[in-house]
Amino acid sequence: MNFQTRFAVSCLKTGGVISNPTDTIQGLTCLPKFESSIAKILQLKRRSSAKGLILLASDVRYFIDYVEDASLLGNITMGTQPTTYLLKANERASKLLTGGFDTIALRLTNNQLITNLCVATNSGLVSSSANITSKRSATSILDLKKFFSDKLDFIISPKTYNTQASKIINLQTGEKIR
C-alpha cells in the first residue's frame, strides 16, 4: 500500500472525510460508523439528508452489519456495469446513510483503491459524488478546492474522467430503478 493510501486510511479511521476516485466517479468518502462524518459529507454537498448515500465495498461481508437479511447479500454481483443494489436496512444503519428510507444502497466493486481502503479499515465506505448537489462532479484537485475549500481531510487525485452512473436495482423486488 502506498503512502497516499496509508494516509487516507489514517484519516478515515479517525473520522475524516476524504475525496478519492471510485469505480464510477470522484467521490467523497468516510466510514459508516462515524455519523458526524456522514453529516459532513451531506453538508459539504448541500445534499438533503432525506436522499441517503451509497455504501461501497470490495466484499459483501462489509455490508452485513447494515442489512436486515444478510442471506440476500449473495445476490449482489459485479458485472461489466457498476450496479447499486437496494436491500432492507437494519436498525444499525444510520438514517443519514439510508436517507430515512427502509432500504440501504450497496455497491460492490473490484476497484483496487477501494479494495485497499476497505481491507485496511475493515469496513465498507460511505460514498457520494464529489460535487455540490446538482452541479458537475469534480475532475481535478482545483475543482475539489473550489467546491469544498479546505474542508476535506485528504484528497487522492481524481481521474480525469467520470463514467456513467451505476444502475440501481431493488434486490428485494427486482425493480430496476435506473
Side-chain angles (χ1 to χ4, degrees):
M1 193 177 343
N2 67 29
F3 173 78
Q4 268 196 327
T5 306
R6 285 194 312 271
F7 192 79
V9 166
S10 176
C11 289
L12 291 169
K13 283 183 169 182
T14 57
V17 172
I18 67 168
S19 180
N20 58 283
T22 71
D23 55 337
T24 58
I25 202 162
Q26 185 71 13
L28 296 180
T29 299
C30 71
L31 295 182
K33 69 180 182 178
F34 293 108
E35 186 104 357
S36 62
S37 301
I38 300 170
K40 182 177 178 180
I41 288 177
L42 294 171
Q43 184 259 333
L44 287 170
K45 290 179 60 67
R46 300 181 200 144
R47 181 180 173 99
S48 167
S49 61
K51 288 190 172 187
L53 299 165
I54 291 174
L55 194 57
L56 186 62
S58 58
D59 190 302
V60 295
R61 68 186 165 101
Y62 298 119
F63 299 145
I64 290 171
D65 289 340
Y66 304 96
V67 298
E68 193 169 277
D69 184 356
S71 70
L72 294 174
L73 292 173
N75 297 324
I76 295 178
T77 61
M78 275 187 280
T80 55
Q81 180 182 359
T83 303
T84 299
Y85 295 93
L86 303 178
L87 272 177
K88 186 140 178 91
N90 65 22
E91 70 284 343
R92 289 185 303 255
S94 166
K95 297 299 180 211
L96 294 178
L97 187 55
T98 63
F101 295 98
D102 67 348
T103 57
I104 187 167
L106 309 168
R107 189 167 76 240
L108 197 59
T109 179
N110 61 2
N111 174 283
Q112 191 59 56
L113 174 61
I114 301 302
T115 298
N116 291 344
L117 293 174
C118 288
V119 169
T121 61
N122 195 33
S123 178
L125 307 169
V126 174
S127 185
S128 186
S129 56
N131 66 325
I132 305 298
T133 298
S134 78
K135 305 291 184 192
R136 69 176 180 80
S137 293
T139 57
S140 69
I141 290 179
L142 181 60
D143 284 347
L144 290 165
K145 299 262 185 209
K146 261 194 311 193
F147 296 164
F148 308 116
S149 184
D150 60 351
K151 293 180 175 73
L152 295 172
D153 296 296
F154 189 62
I155 296 171
I156 297 177
S157 295
K159 298 176 185 176
T160 56
Y161 64 91
N162 292 316
T163 63
Q164 69 186 55
S166 67
K167 294 188 298 185
I168 301 175
I169 298 173
N170 185 320
L171 202 51
Q172 295 160 176
T173 66
E175 177 188 8
K176 292 179 181 169
I177 298 165
R178 179 172 68 198

